[in-house]
């Protein structure tokens, strides 16, 4: 019975979001109440579970996502994203243009939300494709594969960060493993896949050819742009590697080790990165503090709905735990011969196909498979990446990313399915394969 209630709950979530176009946060809370009632929870207990789920989820994430949005805004407004892209493209040359946009997409994709990175980089890609005479899909799709992978696999992006928090996974290890898996996923879904696409002539609308392109003297240098954009990754990974190497078995200055682990904490790493960006991308280039703070303030509004959606998923997770559904699912799957990693990936894939949003799919799947982490010796970091891979699978007409790609590239639905959808599916499958391979060694 509990399993049927969860299935009906997910179906209700799908109907509310896809059929009635109800806001995802409202839909999540409605489903929470539905599941709680049918599981026999007291009305007050349902409210308390929702409050606890939201509080536990946002307590950590509001800091990470807030600082992440600020860093992304500073990187975008300063012209650092444009500098990185244009410099890489000119450095790699026309012959290796795909690798240039892949690297640019990855570097810019780390601090920026997917939609922001898309809007900023696509006009630059259009300009490069037009000037080089290369097919637009050939140039643009590898960059989008790179952006998509950072969105689904790597903290500090919303879903992988939230799922890491749910599973008590180490953010540094998740980031490190995610980068290892991301490399083959991007290469296969980007440069390799686009070489097989023929007879699709993307002709973007003229208005997308007129982005705000900064002049060379208006942009920061390449070195400071890359360093600032990747600083959170540098701090978190350095701290994680340091902690792995210098365990308690090794003698090391305890105070220095404490400092290194402190700056590698995701919250502190993001805070330091924002402070560095304020100086390197702003004050050192003559910008006024007031102008920079206005930019930072406006960035927070972009994550308000994302935070609400994530908190709604956190509420559903808590309802599943407090109502006993999670324990029931965990006990039911305990004797399964299927790897928990594959199960998590399959559940995330099914929800992704039904609901459309990768973030919603990942967070909902995480709430369902949470018992699998505590009932098995599977690495929680790999579970995060397995769910992230499944959440990117089979993007189609109920996904906002599908329509962004279709409209910007001016394609038909059929052409979008044969390019965008296939690319996302390759990323999802390659990600799962990478997770299973890593699981052999971890």
């Amino acid at each position: 019975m509990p399993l049927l209630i969860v299935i009906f709950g997910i179906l209700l979530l799908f109907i509310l979001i896809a059929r009635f176009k109800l806001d995802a946060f409202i839909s999540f809370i409605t489903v929470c109440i539905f599941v709680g009632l049918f599981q026999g929870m007291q009305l007050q207990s349902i409210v308390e579970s929702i409050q606890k789920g939201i509080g536990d989820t946002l307590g950590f994430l509001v800091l990470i996502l807030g600082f992440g949005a600020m860093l992304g805004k500073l990187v975008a407004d300063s012209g650092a994203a444009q500098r990185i892209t244009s410099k890489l493209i000119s450095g790699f040359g026309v012959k290796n243009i795909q690798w240039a946009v892949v690297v640019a997409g990855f570097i810019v994709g780390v601090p920026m939300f997917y939609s922001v990175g898309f809007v900023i980089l696509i006009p630059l890609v259009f300009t490069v494709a037009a000037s080089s005479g290369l097919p637009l899909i050939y140039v643009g799709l590898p960059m989008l594969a790179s952006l998509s992978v950072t969105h689904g696999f790597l903290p500090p992006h919303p879903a992988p960060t939230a799922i890491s928090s749910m599973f008590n996974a180490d953010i540094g290890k998740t980031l490190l493993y995610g980068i290892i898996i991301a490399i083959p996923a991007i290469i296969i879904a980007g440069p390799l896949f686009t070489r097989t696409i023929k007879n699709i002539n993307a002709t973007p609308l003229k208005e997308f050819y007129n982005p705000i392109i900064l002049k060379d003297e208006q942009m920061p240098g390449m070195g400071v742009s890359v360093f600032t954009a990747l600083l959170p990754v540098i701090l978190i990974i350095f701290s994680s590697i340091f902690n792995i190497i210098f365990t308690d078995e090794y003698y090391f200055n305890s105070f220095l080790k404490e400092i290194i682990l402190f700056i590698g904490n995701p919250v502190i790493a993001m805070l330091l990165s924002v402070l560095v960006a304020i100086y390197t991308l702003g004050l050192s280039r003559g910008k006024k503090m007031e102008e920079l703070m206005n930019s930072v303030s406006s960035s927070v509004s972009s994550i308000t709905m994302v935070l609400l959606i994530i908190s709604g998923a956190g509420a559903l997770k808590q309802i599943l735990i407090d109502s006993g559904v999670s324990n029931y699912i965990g006990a039911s799957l305990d004797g399964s011969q299927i790897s928990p990693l594959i199960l998590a990936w399959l559940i995330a894939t099914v929800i992704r196909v039904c609901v459309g949003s990768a973030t919603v799919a990942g967070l909902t799947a995480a709430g369902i498979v949470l018992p699998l982490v505590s009932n098995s010796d599977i690495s929680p970091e790999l579970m995060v990446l397995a769910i992230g891979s499944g959440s990117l699978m089979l993007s189609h007409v109920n996904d906002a990313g599908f329509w962004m790609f279709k409209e910007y590239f001016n394609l038909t639905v059929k052409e979008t399915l044969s390019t965008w959808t296939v690319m996302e599916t390759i990323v999802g499958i390659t990600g799962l394969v990478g997770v299973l391979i890593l699981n052999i060694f971890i």
Side-chain angles (χ1 to χ4, degrees), residues 228-285:
T228 306
L230 292 183
L231 186 55
V233 176
I234 295 170
L235 293 175
I236 294 171
I237 290 184
F238 172 74
S239 177
S240 295
I241 294 175
F242 181 90
N243 195 38
I244 292 171
I245 295 174
F246 295 100
T247 61
D248 293 336
E249 299 174 8
Y250 292 86
Y251 173 77
F252 200 87
N253 186 293
S254 59
F255 177 73
L256 181 58
K257 183 175 181 178
E258 186 177 346
I259 293 296
I260 292 174
L261 295 180
F262 175 73
I263 64 174
N265 179 286
V267 173
I268 303 303
M270 292 304 301
L271 171 60
L272 291 174
S273 299
V274 171
L275 294 175
V276 168
I278 289 172
Y279 176 75
T280 59
L281 303 180
L283 297 177
S284 68
R285 301 179 56 241

Side-chain angles (χ1 to χ4, degrees), residues 320-368:
L320 293 176
I321 292 173
D322 292 348
S323 67
V325 172
S326 286
N327 289 334
Y328 176 85
I329 294 173
S332 301
L333 297 175
D334 196 34
S336 174
Q337 298 302 309
I338 303 177
S339 165
L341 295 170
I342 296 176
L343 279 173
W345 180 85
L346 284 172
I347 292 171
T349 296
V350 170
I351 299 174
R352 160 72 155 175
V353 172
C354 293
V355 177
S357 167
T359 301
V360 171
L363 293 169
T364 306
I368 294 172

Side-chain angles (χ1 to χ4, degrees), residues 118 401-413 416:
F118 184 105
F402 177 94
W403 294 104
M404 284 180 69
F405 178 79
K406 177 191 177 300
E407 295 304 318
Y408 269 78
F409 284 73
N410 199 21
L411 300 173
T412 65
V413 169
T416 310

Side-chain angles (χ1 to χ4, degrees), residues 84-144:
I84 293 168
T85 307
S86 58
K87 194 72 173 179
L88 286 171
I89 289 171
S90 63
F92 275 79
V94 175
K95 186 177 180 180
N96 299 307
I97 198 73
Q98 287 188 313
W99 302 107
V101 295
V102 160
V103 175
F106 186 85
I107 294 174
V108 173
V110 168
M112 287 188 188
F113 294 133
Y114 178 86
S115 57
V116 177
F118 184 105
V119 172
I120 288 172
L121 294 184
I122 279 296
L124 299 173
V125 169
F126 288 169
T127 302
V128 171
S131 60
S132 66
L134 293 170
L136 185 56
I137 295 290
Y138 180 86
V139 178
L141 205 59
M143 187 272 288
L144 294 178

